[in-house]
Amino acid sequence: MPATVSLEAEVFSQEQIAGRVQELGREIDAHYSSGDLLVLGLLKGSFIFLGDLVRNIPRPLQVDFLVAASYGSGTTTSGDVRLLYDPETQLRGKHILLVEDIVDSGNTLNRLVRLLKGREPRSLEICALLHKRIAQSLEIEPRFVGFDAPPLFLVGYGLDHAENYRHLPFIASLKDPEGTDG
Ligand code: IMP
Ligand code: MG
């Protein structure tokens, strides 16, 4: 099926992102003074952000990933969450930093947070590249946020529309936001 959408405008440039990711790395480094840190990237959307972020955190850390899937069908984010890939790295007793591309309704994060809390980490914090600030109630408000996002459907730097545009080095809005399902 041919792409029926195209890019509208650049929202965050490559340079803006690089600068902010550097700052986030410093904030995160300063936040964790001791203990084991496990940076957990939520796939697929966080893959580029996570790669850039961890290279800006000088302290020792480990990296792993989560692949989550919602029960049920369709494009809604209701229902329960299960892990398609469960990090083999032991979570208990470690500082867990969950890295997400964008917080929209917050449903994905809320379900993951409940699941991860059950693994008894030493601490659990969230780092989101983008935050739309429309989530009604978040179990944990992200401590580290790259940018507040406008109420648009955004792509690039890991974010997709129907699996396209993840590779763009910048973040852009789409011309036709119809049928955007994350
Ligand atoms: P939430 O559960 O509603 O917070 O949705 C979070 C997930 O939806 C993100 O991890 C993305 O995969 C996807 N998503 C939400 N908004 C956007 C967007 O503007 N562009 C691309 N993906 C999005
Ligand atoms: Mg997505």
Side-chain angles (χ1 to χ4, degrees), residues 30 39 44 49-50 57 61 64-65 68-69 79 89 101 103 106-107 122 124 136 141 143 147:
V39 181
K44 302 175 195 170
F49 176 42
L50 183 119
I57 307 174
L61 57 78
D64 212 332
F65 295 93
T89 323
D101 54 355
V103 183
N107 290 332
R122 177 165 167 186
L124 177 59
Q136 292 299 312
E141 188 60 45
R143 181 176 286 268
F147 303 100

Side-chain angles (χ1 to χ4, degrees), residues 111-146:
R111 285 172 285 147
L112 278 174
V113 160
R114 280 179 220 127
L115 189 148
L116 292 174
K117 274 182 177 167
R119 307 284 176 88
E120 301 176 350
R122 177 165 167 186
S123 71
L124 177 59
E125 299 289 358
I126 293 157
C127 176
L129 173 66
L130 299 160
H131 195 335
K132 287 192 178 170
R133 306 280 179 197
I134 57 170
Q136 292 299 312
S137 62
L138 289 174
E139 296 256 335
I140 300 180
E141 188 60 45
R143 181 176 286 268
F144 309 100
V145 174

Side-chain angles (χ1 to χ4, degrees), residues 9-167:
E10 183 174 282
V11 177
F12 299 107
S13 71
Q14 194 171 354
E15 293 72 25
Q16 267 178 297
I17 296 168
R20 186 66 191 118
V21 170
Q22 234 174 48
E23 290 173 357
L24 280 175
R26 281 198 287 268
E27 288 175 35
I28 291 165
D29 190 60
H31 178 75
Y32 295 101
S33 53
S34 66
D36 294 333
L37 174 60
L38 176 63
V39 181
L40 263 186
L42 181 54
L43 290 177
K44 302 175 195 170
S46 74
F47 83 110
I48 293 178
F49 176 42
L50 183 119
D52 285 344
L53 183 67
V54 293
R55 284 180 288 175
N56 282 285
I57 307 174
R59 90 184 296 287
L61 57 78
Q62 296 180 340
V63 175
D64 212 332
F65 295 93
L66 288 175
V67 183
S70 300
Y71 284 116
S73 59
T75 57
T76 63
T77 52
S78 62
D80 208 353
V81 71
R82 84 197 142 92
L83 298 181
L84 296 182
Y85 168 72
D86 203 337
E88 289 157 26
T89 323
Q90 186 68 248
L91 305 189
R92 182 172 301 122
K94 288 182 181 160
H95 294 298
I96 306 297
L97 181 63
L98 183 61
V99 177
E100 164 77 306
D101 54 355
I102 184 165
V103 183
D104 188 1
S105 73
N107 290 332
T108 309
L109 270 185
N110 280 344
R111 285 172 285 147
L112 278 174
V113 160
R114 280 179 220 127
L115 189 148
L116 292 174
K117 274 182 177 167
R119 307 284 176 88
E120 301 176 350
R122 177 165 167 186
S123 71
L124 177 59
E125 299 289 358
I126 293 157
C127 176
L129 173 66
L130 299 160
H131 195 335
K132 287 192 178 170
R133 306 280 179 197
I134 57 170
Q136 292 299 312
S137 62
L138 289 174
E139 296 256 335
I140 300 180
E141 188 60 45
R143 181 176 286 268
F144 309 100
V145 174
F147 303 100
D148 284 358
L152 302 168
F153 196 84
L154 302 175
V155 296
Y157 199 68
L159 289 93
D160 74 302
H161 173 255
E163 295 301 327
N164 295 311
Y165 303 115
R166 289 195 198 275
H167 63 109

